[in-house]
Amino acid sequence: MDDKPIVARSSSDAFWSSLGDSELVDFVNALSQRKREDNDEEQKGQEKDEEKNDAEDEIDLTLPDEVWNNSFTENKNMGGVGDDILGSLTLAQKPNVSPEEVSQEVARKVSQEASQQAPDDPEDLNHEEPEFGDMSHYFKNKRFMQQKADEDYVEWLSKRNGGKNPNLAIFEGCIIYVNGRTDPDIEQLHKMIIVHGGTFLAFLGSKGSATHIIASNLTPRKRIEFRNYKVVKPEWIVESIRENRRLPWSDYQLIDNDYGQAKIGFARENERTDVALNAKHPGFLEQFFSRSRLHHLSTWKADLRAEHLQRALEESKTRPKRVYSKRAILHIDFDCFFAAASSLKQLPNAEDFRSKPICVTHGGAHADVASCNYVARKMGAKNGMWLEKAQQMCSGQLICLEYDFDEYERISKLFYDCLLATKPHSLLPVSVDEALLDVSNIAEEHDLEEFMSDLRQKIWLATHCTVSAGCAPNVLLAKLALRNSKPDGQLSILNYSEDEILKFLNPVDIRDLPGVGYSVQKKLMDEFNASKFTLANLRNVDRQKLVDMLGVKTGATLAEYSRGLDSTSIDIASNPDEFTRKSISIDVNWGIRFDTIVEVETFLVECAKVLSERLLKAKMFGSQLTMKLAKRSENAPIAPPKHMGMGMCDFVSKSARLGISSREPGILSSEAKSLYRILGVPPAELRGIALQVTRLVSEGDNRENQNQMRLPFQKAKEPQFPGLSSDLNPNPIPAKRQLEPRNAPKKVTPADIKKRIKDFMSKPRPRTTAIEEPDLNVDQINWDVFNELPKEIQIELQTEFERRGLVAKSTPFSTPKKRKVQSRKTPSPSKDGGQQQLPESLGGTPRKAVLESPLKKCGSPSKSPFKAASSTPNRGKSISPEKLRLNDTTIDMAILQELPSSIRNDIVNQAEAEKEMKTTEMTPMQLKEELVELPRQKMQSYFRALNIPSLQNQWQFSKVKSLLQAWISAGIGDFDSSLSGSYGPLQEDSVVVSAYLSELLWEHNDITRVISLVEHMEICILDKKNRPGYDEWKELVSTLDQMLKEYLISNGSKVKYIF
DNA sequence: TGACATGGCCAG
DNA sequence: CATCGCTGGCCATGTCA
Ligand SMILES: Nc1ccn([C@H]2C[C@H](O)[C@@H](COP(=O)(O)OP(=O)(O)OP(=O)(O)O)O2)c(=O)n1
């Protein structure tokens, strides 16, 4: 990792802070002077090619930075002044020297260097290829022109006044930017400033060339953005002019801190380019993840787990197992990690950390506070709270720092180095800033209090962040001891007697127990009508009672916990399976705003790529994909309080077997699209998307026996070994079963196949209208009939109508209550008395708790009609719904087959009834028919009776897909394979597959499904070029493609919807 | 009875 | 302007053979 000394990057601001006010102004002026000259030159040469050259802007705005980058860092690297200082003076070596002192000293040296070197900087460094369409370029030019106009104005005014000038000295050297609404307004201020010698900045730009900012108040975001400027009230201007001298700005300071003096120029690091505002835009994922703390936390954790598991396994080979007489578990954790770590570089005065409330946040009323220091906590702020609320708790005094993920990572590494250096029996990473250690070995020889104190001291010296530690005979007690010791403390209860332990536990709040969150706490408190629930209370609850309330495991565990008992193991090496990953997923619940299916699918492809990369990184393959969608709750506002947030949502999920262990992005994304269709959440309602891969297998791991889906089509007599695709598990089960050719001759040639298809196509066939769309519209709905329907069916239908946009949300019938509606009853103290009862900002009720309500569990047992209804596939807003035509044997199988079985049964029943009724029209009302549960076994025979084509006895879309996939992967060779003759599809198999697809296409007009399958096959062979068998596969796919084309040509008019 | 699908909760 | 609400594991419950 980055092994630069801590102070290195803090020196740019220190450089500025080392200058006196006038020095600074001089410096800036010198720079801007130079900029102006450059600009003039540039402009002359620019006349032909104006607006295209960025260079003057670069010079204009990056000079201070250039000083920093070119002079300071170069010097440092070349063993110059900076290097000297940094090399001889690390914090760890001289802990008595504060970081500030160090950086000040560095800065003084640097500033000397800078003033010598800056003018010599070769300009061409800044001549970069101009970027097309760079708006900032435009604004910067604008600014320049405005400043020129200002000068002209002053000159004109001076002439007009005949030498009786205003005092130009008042704001001489000041470069002033005015933010937001002010009194006097910006126009007047503008004039006042330039007339009295100041420079007015119309745009702040990104490089911090302003010396002062005028504002009457600031949004939280601005507060952060401007925290390194001198932010003053407008009165400073007015009263300075009145007194005809520059009054001290600090008397008019708007932000109540001394940050204004600290680091102008640092603001450059705040520069943010938003390439993607939401998930519709390319690059969104990357940008989002780069700024998401939770993403970083999760990633770090997974990486640390993997790293330390690996290490533990290697060590355990050489180190003999040992049993220790007394188990000692150490739980160690930084105090308010993000806040402490960000403070290192961002707080000008380190001592503020102990006296002022400080937090890390992106800024904005509804931005999360990732971590706040203990001063803020005392005032009532908490991690995870919304900034608005936290500010309120801290009476507006909360100082906001930025995230610095690199810094956290750097500090974490030092932390883990210190931990490993103690050679614990085992080490289990809990988080980037937190770990569990089995120190039984150390406890045998050392006093643990002393050991802990040593360790903490070492970590402090290395990182300048404080840690706390708890030690106990088990994980539970270690955690509680740690909690008790915070901040900056330690506690060992290793030697407590049983009684002492109980006494220690008695007052502990159950919320402090692992596994007890909002929900469990609430259940217990509600049940016992208590406003506070301690371990002493918990211990008095009958174990059986706990089990009844919370379930077998949870109940029993809590009962044990209440007595201080816990057998959790952290011995990573002794049962590695327990600590290896069982799933790999990607979740995005922010910025999800889509209008069309295409946008969603594009995003799914991006997610699949990321997922694939994660699998690759973990050296794993998976064979099951689960999609979880967050859908805006019916009565949640379209725009939740948190910008681009998810707001209140309902969740649905669905999983599919891939049929093979894979990590191919193509397979993952096509499966994801398919799942999305099945879940049927309209794009506009989507608020969150998650994809999870499970049934993982490691590279080189052979046990994959659970996977009964692999049915390679190849004949056993010519054993085919699956291709070694980099994204397909190279160790699948060898072929066992083979395809049972159905209606296929033993020997056929590709020509035969084509001929058969042709024959098939030329055969006159009955008119089937399966995919015809009867324009359903709201007028066709007989609301009288509707209202007679059972409630459940009404709910189902309503959901469906809405999703098709047939009815408005304000329906003409009684709005069915979804669980979410009921859950609103949950009393949630919401601070923004608005409509949003979201328990969002911590301090109210947590979101999750509202999202799922008790009602859900006591709700109708009819298998969640909402979900059933909404899981009809292929029904998006922009995808027109396919038609269920029940008076015909050609029910749209594409839809039917994906339905939950309960619904499917209903419809099949209905179909039977329809046949007799000979109804020609199908409206939703017909669902009112008495619904009879069909035993599941009968389904198969129904479908058989309905002539649904099947492949290897599989008629379900996903299974068929899996079959094809497995078939192909078994029939493509490795690069090195010399047996090229034995690859490619077997002709018998080809015939069967072709026949199946033909039937699906011509008999059932299931164009959607056929396209999808052929496309899937294409994906499967896509990256297998040049491998043995590829050409043969390619030919087969082409043939199938051709078949599709011919179908489309002859039936084009019938096919309305293809996607 | 156990395997599986789905969904909830929790932690950092 | 805002804001970056991830991710993995365990548990509960219901369904099915
Ligand atoms: N809801 C949360 C909880 C934690 N974190 C991040 C910021 C924290 O600094 C870090 C570690 O989490 P901890 O729970 O250990 O909290 P702190 O370290 O901030 O405080 P402490 O451990 O002293 O209670 O994880 C976060 O971003 N959001």
Side-chain angles (χ1 to χ4, degrees), chain A residues 293-294 297 333-339 368-372 374 377 383-384 403 431-434 483 486-487 842:
Chain A
R293 74 190 200 280
L294 293 175
L297 282 176
D333 171 272
F334 278 109
D335 303 315
C336 44
F337 181 55
F338 283 15
D368 283 14
V369 167
S371 175
C372 58
Y374 279 77
R377 286 187 205 191
N383 287 1
Y403 290 95
S431 176
V432 67
D433 77 320
E434 180 176 353
R483 187 166 183 85
K486 271 178 174 290
L842 208 145

Side-chain angles (χ1 to χ4, degrees), chain A residues 1024-1035:
Chain A
K1024 310 287 190 298
K1025 222 172 176 151
N1026 301 328
R1027 299 202 192 174
Y1030 173 81
D1031 293 341
E1032 289 85 344
W1033 285 106
K1034 182 81 190 163
E1035 189 181 349

Side-chain angles (χ1 to χ4, degrees), chain A residues 829-853:
Chain A
S830 95
K831 20 119 217 189
D832 54 314
Q835 21 92 306
Q836 189 69 14
Q837 302 210 349
L838 267 187
E840 309 239 35
S841 174
L842 208 145
T845 321
R847 163 173 45 102
K848 288 274 168 56
V850 163
L851 289 185
E852 50 109 52
S853 88

